[in-house]
Amino acid sequence: MSGTGFLLLGIAAFAAYVGMHWERARRALFDVRLGRQRVSNLRKQAAKERSQTSLIIVAAAVVLFLVVKYGG
């Protein structure tokens, strides 16, 4: 094989190598976006559940207060 053939083979191997790394980096960036979106959704859901729990605790406290004050 001539020097030009080795050069073309080397360039093709380098292109494949760079392409694999490029694709891996692109996928990693996309996964990070999905991860951030998932974390954001989990935070929103946790905040919603905390507010609902707070509301239930306040309502239970009011009911307990009314039962104690007017029940007996």
Side-chain angles (χ1 to χ4, degrees):
M1 188 179 264
S2 68
T4 305
F6 279 121
L7 183 62
L8 289 175
L9 188 60
I11 289 173
F14 181 69
Y17 177 77
V18 169
M20 287 187 307
H21 284 282
W22 182 270
E23 180 63 21
R24 190 176 300 142
R26 187 192 64 76
R27 266 192 259 133
L29 181 64
F30 184 71
D31 290 346
V32 166
R33 283 187 199 140
L34 286 177
R36 286 181 183 162
Q37 183 180 8
R38 213 174 290 133
V39 168
S40 176
N41 289 342
L42 288 173
R43 283 185 181 149
K44 288 177 186 176
Q45 185 65 28
K48 182 179 175 183
E49 289 180 9
R50 276 194 301 267
S51 66
Q52 288 175 346
T53 302
S54 299
L55 183 63
I56 290 169
I57 290 172
V58 167
V62 168
V63 168
L64 184 63
F65 172 75
L66 292 174
V67 166
V68 168
K69 185 168 182 174
Y70 297 112

